[in-house]
Amino acid sequence: MALSIVSEDLTAQAITQVTGLELTDSWSRGDLRTHPRMRHLGPHAFTRWTLCPEGDLPGEFEDKLTRLLQLTEPAAARIRALADTCDVSILVGYQGYTGQMWGLPIESRDVARIAALGAALDVDLYASGPALP
């Protein structure tokens, strides 16, 4: 679960200054792309600023969403201002076993908090494990 801000114009440092939040990962437009097995990937074409407070630790969807929104709520007006020129999203990577993936409960209060950020909700589903008969 992460807040992602993508910009073609701003640097990651500029986004950090606007939001007042400490990022957990970023690259800026023009930074060289890196890959462990490839060398010449060229520069990034856009900036990606990410706040992922719990990293890849497993947990309940609603708990992770609430925690992220608690952290971003004080900066909501500043983040929403960026939404006019940046792509602001709550990113969810949802991993589970086939047949054992539960719903994504979102409280009305959290829907309002997402809207206050001017953010979209992007959920990527990754099912693995045995298929149901």
Side-chain angles (χ1 to χ4, degrees), residues 31-131:
D31 290 351
L32 293 180
R33 294 182 294 157
T34 59
H35 187 278
R37 294 182 303 254
M38 301 172 78
R39 286 190 181 179
H40 305 288
L41 295 176
H44 286 284
F46 58 89
T47 296
R48 178 177 296 269
W49 180 100
T50 306
L51 172 61
C52 186
E54 297 182 18
D56 289 336
L57 293 175
E60 297 292 326
F61 169 84
E62 57 271 30
D63 295 339
K64 286 181 163 268
L65 179 62
T66 298
R67 174 75 177 126
L68 180 62
L69 294 172
Q70 285 171 339
L71 289 172
T72 57
E73 194 168 34
R78 296 185 301 274
I79 295 167
R80 185 164 187 74
L82 287 172
D84 292 335
T85 58
C86 300
D87 180 20
V88 179
S89 299
I90 302 293
L91 303 179
V92 180
Y94 191 62
Q95 300 181 23
Y97 289 102
T98 303
Q100 298 178 348
M101 294 183 77
W102 294 273
L104 304 173
I106 305 173
E107 300 281 332
S108 58
R109 179 170 186 239
D110 289 340
V111 171
R113 290 163 121 176
I114 293 169
L117 295 173
L121 182 62
D122 181 358
V123 179
D124 291 325
L125 303 175
Y126 304 98
S128 61

